[in-house]
Amino acid sequence: MPENPLQRPLCESNESANPTDVVLDLCGPISGKGSVIPENTCCCTKLQAPHTVGPFLKFWGLERAPSAPGPANGAVAAEIVPEARAPRVWLGSLLVVTQAQVGDVAVELKEGSPGSVLEAEQLDSFDGWVALRFRLRIPLAEQDTKVHYAVTVSGQPLRLHQGDGGFCFHVAGTNSQCNAHWGFYSCSGFTPDVPPEHREDKWRGITPLWNDIRAVHNKAPLHLLVGGGDQLYCDDVWTLPSLAIFLKIPVKTEDDRTRKNVEPYDAGMRTQVDAYYFHHYCCHFSQPPIADVYALVPQVMSWDDHDIFDGWGSYAPYLQDSAVFKGVFASALRWYCVFQQHCKVEEKLPVAVYEVGRRTAIVACDMRHQRRPDEIVPLEHYMKISMLCTQLPKDIEHVVFVSTVPVVYPHVKGARTVLNLLKNGFLQCLLGTLGAKQLNQFGEPELLDDLDDHWSAPDHREERRFLIENLQMLSKYRGCRVTLLSGDVHVCGLGRLLSYPEPSDEMLLHDFRYMPQVISSAISNPPPPGGLIALLNFCSHGGRINRATHHKMTRELRKRTGLKVALENKRNWCEVQEEPFGNSGHALVFKLRVEELPVDAGTIKDYSVQVPPLQKLNGEYYDTRRGGLLARLKHNGVE
């Protein structure tokens, strides 16, 4: 049989994992010897971490130095650099997870590359592996900067899986002629319901669109890649033997649910769950296309439910607050912080704003850590978003708000009521005779957690209105265009928010309530069936958020038949570029790169949507509540 590249460490040396190291055995208790490890549904490989994984790049943000370098004795500098001319520094980090000694891992910038690398910081350790963070500081230049770096482990250089170009990344320049170029993806893996025989034979694994990202980057370097959630699928954590006792507890009566709620999370559970998440991250992130992209393009990530397990945060309180759920979440959080955020748990930020180039800022908000069935984001986090965005430089024209779950999306009325009826025993038996799966592993209606996840769920609609109105205030008083960018739903599509009554296309340029919604999902997981998409397209009519705001899906995706639809059920990712917009700023172009069928053909089709900057009209923005309607009528020739 050919060598499995996933069992080869990224460091192409003669070192190999010690056969007595503790690995995860899903067929029995944790064992240090002779463990037989089955395949994982997400990355289709055995859950055994290589000797070394990484390097993985992360972008932390831009630092503005408050003053010029001071005297060596620490006295106050004689001359303070004005803020407008203060030098800015690109802040990032590089993660290496290895069984080598900390002192045997070295990271250095190659000659001619500006900046510095700080000493290694140990974030965590697990069964002989250590997770090391190397902070990077790169001074910004007017032109794009290409930074070359090298990583050695025990004297052996790490190398890319594909190509001989060496490790490098690109930092966007500050010159007005430089345009930011970045990407967005979500849902990188397979859910457990995808048959094993389909993963490779039908879908060619999870790699085709990752190879497309690499090809796009080789042609025009990406400055950043945003992971919009479900960077891996951890749903099969519930196949661990130690968790079986929790799953077997029935939920028919109130006493049953109470017992399930108080079932202890013991040491055996914690050991297996920690091992599962650690090995899963190592194996998934070390797959050749993903590992290479993570080593060449700085990442910004925000997690969704599958990074924990399906539906986290949207279950009934007796499950959500149970000791076992909390224990599993603690392990998921631990390794999410290490692998996706390059930090310790106590360092994790709930909200972050990232400037990409001179004109674009990306807002990433943690919508899973404190999610509850009746709340997605705590109030104080909304305040943090407003505070950080008001501190952005005046040159920022676009703010892209990353919501892991779409804010604008079709809503099927009555679906939740139907699913709740499945708790009726008679209906369960009736559907069971038809071979339909009604309940999930926790005894709750299947798909109910997905409906409760959405912003359009009854318990979240008021919070959605609050979010949108806050973003509208940001757009109006900050003078920037806000765009919504989301994943999660395994389709691509376009929607928008705008003023009500609806303005003309020309007036959209001046409408601060106009917020496009771009949905890009999934980069790897197969799309839902055509029948469901047909239903969602049928239900994609608009609605009202408040008296002055309308929402709707836009039918801009054209199928082969020529029919325009709101949603397309094909794998995809999104490329984003800045381009000049007449004589009034720059537009953002969101280009959905969609995998055409059959997958073997390797054909990628582009759908592009241009988002113009926000512009004033006669010194004001368009507003239906302040004469905007009259302006629209006059514009259309109606007196």
Side-chain angles (χ1 to χ4, degrees):
M1 294 180 63
E3 178 192 11
N4 183 350
L6 301 178
Q7 303 306 314
R8 183 181 70 242
L10 188 57
C11 176
E12 297 285 2
S13 68
N14 292 325
E15 295 175 301
S16 60
N18 188 328
T20 62
D21 286 326
V22 176
V23 294
L24 181 60
D25 180 3
L26 296 185
C27 299
I30 295 295
S31 171
K33 297 181 181 180
S35 295
V36 178
I37 309 169
E39 287 188 351
N40 170 259
T41 58
C42 175
C43 53
C44 303
T45 185
K46 293 181 178 180
L47 288 184
Q48 183 171 358
H51 177 276
T52 298
V53 295
F56 306 134
L57 286 166
K58 172 176 167 55
F59 175 47
W60 285 82
L62 300 184
E63 175 187 79
R64 184 184 296 277
S67 64
N73 63 6
V76 178
E79 180 183 353
I80 302 298
V81 178
E83 183 179 358
R85 294 189 291 109
R88 306 201 72 182
V89 178
W90 183 97
L91 302 176
S93 61
L94 187 148
L95 180 72
V96 177
V97 179
T98 182
Q99 289 181 304
Q101 298 296 312
V102 175
D104 293 335
V105 182
V107 176
E108 62 179 359
L109 301 183
K110 291 190 174 181
E111 186 176 354
S113 294
S116 60
V117 182
L118 304 187
E119 292 295 321
E121 303 170 82
Q122 183 172 323
L123 296 179
D124 210 328
S125 62
F126 185 81
D127 285 338
W129 281 269
V130 291
L132 304 177
R133 175 178 65 189
F134 296 84
R135 294 183 183 270
L136 306 172
R137 296 177 58 85
I138 311 297
L140 293 185
E142 289 192 358
Q143 303 299 325
D144 286 5
T145 302
K146 186 176 183 179
V147 181
H148 296 269
Y149 69 95
V151 183
T152 56
V153 176
S154 301
Q156 299 294 322
L158 302 189
R159 297 195 292 266
L160 295 170
H161 285 276
Q162 301 167 341
D164 301 319
F167 295 129
C168 66
F169 60 94
H170 296 257
V171 176
T174 61
N175 190 294
S176 61
Q177 303 303 313
C178 294
N179 295 322
H181 183 210
W182 52 283
F184 174 90
Y185 71 94
S186 64
C187 304
S188 179
F190 289 119
T191 48
D193 59 347
V194 181
E197 64 272 14
H198 286 177
R199 296 173 201 151
E200 287 294 335
D201 295 344
K202 183 176 180 179
W203 297 105
R204 291 171 51 219
I206 71 172
T207 64
L209 286 171
W210 282 103
N211 288 328
D212 185 58
I213 289 180
R214 181 74 187 276
V216 168
H217 176 70
N218 289 341
K219 184 176 180 180
L222 294 164
H223 301 119
L224 183 69
L225 194 58
V226 179
D230 298 342
Q231 274 67 253
L232 73 175
Y233 283 74
C234 298
D235 305 335
D236 57 359
V237 65
W238 294 102
T239 63
L240 295 175
S242 61
L243 298 178
I245 186 173
F246 175 78
L247 296 178
K248 290 178 181 178
I249 299 175
V251 295
K252 292 182 179 179
T253 68
E254 188 63 31
D255 288 343
D256 290 338
R257 292 188 283 273
T258 300
R259 179 188 165 199
K260 197 151 193 154
N261 178 262
V262 301
E263 178 68 22
Y265 186 70
D266 59 34
M269 292 177 178
R270 182 178 297 106
T271 300
Q272 286 199 357
V273 171
D274 261 344
Y276 168 84
Y277 281 106
F278 173 79
H279 286 280
H280 191 182
Y281 267 108
C282 286
C283 294
H284 187 64
F285 278 22
S286 65
Q287 295 177 90
I290 297 176
D292 284 358
V293 171
Y294 284 4
L296 296 171
V297 185
Q299 304 288 311
V300 168
M301 297 181 180
S302 183
W303 63 351
D304 203 17
D305 58 336
H306 293 283
D307 299 273
I308 308 163
F309 59 82
D310 186 22
W312 167 263
S314 294
Y315 287 103
Y318 80 90
L319 285 171
Q320 197 65 48
D321 297 331
S322 67
V324 173
F325 263 46
K326 289 180 178 179
V328 172
F329 173 78
S331 291
L333 174 64
R334 174 187 178 184
W335 298 115
Y336 164 73
C337 287
V338 169
F339 284 91
Q340 297 199 40
Q341 297 298 331
H342 296 194
C343 71
K344 299 177 182 179
V345 172
E346 59 270 22
E347 297 173 333
K348 186 177 78 69
L349 299 174
V351 177
V353 177
Y354 306 92
E355 296 173 51
V356 188
R358 182 172 178 169
R359 291 173 286 265
T360 300
I362 299 170
V363 179
C365 181
D366 189 334
M367 296 185 177
R368 280 295 163 181
H369 191 162
Q370 296 180 264
R371 176 185 284 256
R372 304 287 303 171
D374 59 350
E375 183 180 71
I376 295 175
V377 179
L379 178 62
E380 58 268 25
H381 294 179
Y382 288 107
M383 299 177 67
K384 186 71 172 178
I385 292 170
S386 298
M387 183 188 72
L388 291 174
C389 288
T390 55
Q391 296 173 352
L392 287 169
K394 60 181 179 60
D395 289 337
I396 296 296
E397 299 177 23
H398 291 269
V399 171
V400 180
F401 183 83
V402 176
S403 171
T404 51
V405 177
V407 177
V408 180
Y409 196 68
H411 174 63
V412 181
K413 293 183 178 180
R416 194 180 193 280
T417 302
V418 172
L419 287 176
N420 271 317
L421 289 175
L422 293 177
K423 294 181 180 180
N424 179 286
F426 173 75
L427 188 57
Q428 287 181 37
C429 294
L430 178 62
L431 291 178
T433 61
L434 302 176
K437 183 180 179 183
Q438 317 92 38
L439 302 180
N440 61 23
Q441 58 207 352
F442 307 119
E444 292 289 300
E446 186 72 19
L447 299 180
L448 182 60
D449 59 286
D450 293 307
L451 287 180
D452 287 345
D453 264 357
H454 278 271
W455 286 97
S456 57
D459 290 336
H460 297 318
R461 287 174 190 164
E462 280 302 303
E463 185 176 356
R464 177 177 69 165
R465 181 182 62 80
F466 182 78
L467 165 68
I468 291 169
E469 290 176 349
N470 271 268
L471 293 177
Q472 289 174 345
M473 286 190 292
L474 168 66
S475 177
K476 182 175 183 178
Y477 295 107
R478 181 62 184 70
C480 58
R481 175 70 69 198
V482 175
T483 301
L484 306 170
L485 185 57
S486 303
D488 179 79
V489 288
H490 302 167
V491 297
C492 61
L494 302 169
R496 62 183 181 179
L497 298 159
L498 66 166
S499 286
Y500 181 85
E502 185 173 333
S504 65
D505 289 343
E506 185 173 342
M507 282 296 167
L508 285 179
L509 298 176
H510 317 289
D511 184 6
F512 67 90
R513 295 191 182 92
Y514 171 51
M515 298 181 194
Q517 162 85 72
V518 180
I519 301 169
S520 178
S521 172
I523 192 172
S524 298
N525 201 40
L532 176 59
I533 299 303
L535 174 62
L536 291 174
N537 276 311
F538 177 77
C539 297
S540 62
H541 47 76
R544 296 278 290 278
I545 298 296
N546 55 31
R547 287 192 307 166
T549 309
H550 184 74
H551 72 85
K552 68 177 182 179
M553 300 298 296
T554 54
R555 296 177 177 270
E556 298 184 35
L557 307 184
R558 187 182 297 276
K559 303 184 74 172
R560 288 181 179 178
T561 59
L563 178 69
K564 285 190 174 183
V565 294
L567 302 171
E568 183 82 275
N569 57 332
K570 294 175 182 175
R571 298 194 295 186
N572 64 92
W573 69 283
C574 186
E575 179 187 4
V576 189
Q577 294 176 294
E578 295 175 352
E579 66 177 25
F581 188 80
N583 298 320
S584 54
H586 286 70
L588 280 187
V589 178
F590 292 83
K591 183 185 297 183
L592 291 167
R593 294 188 60 82
V594 181
E595 177 186 56
E596 288 289 280
L597 300 177
V599 173
D600 290 339
T603 304
I604 303 295
K605 183 177 181 179
D606 289 341
Y607 293 110
S608 293
V609 55
Q610 184 189 67
V611 178
L614 179 62
Q615 301 175 14
K616 287 187 175 181
L617 179 66
N618 298 325
E620 292 187 352
Y621 297 117
Y622 175 86
D623 190 343
T624 56
R625 294 195 294 185
R626 292 183 58 209
L629 178 58
L630 179 61
R632 179 173 71 93
L633 293 174
K634 288 183 177 180
H635 175 74
N636 291 334
V638 179
E639 293 295 339

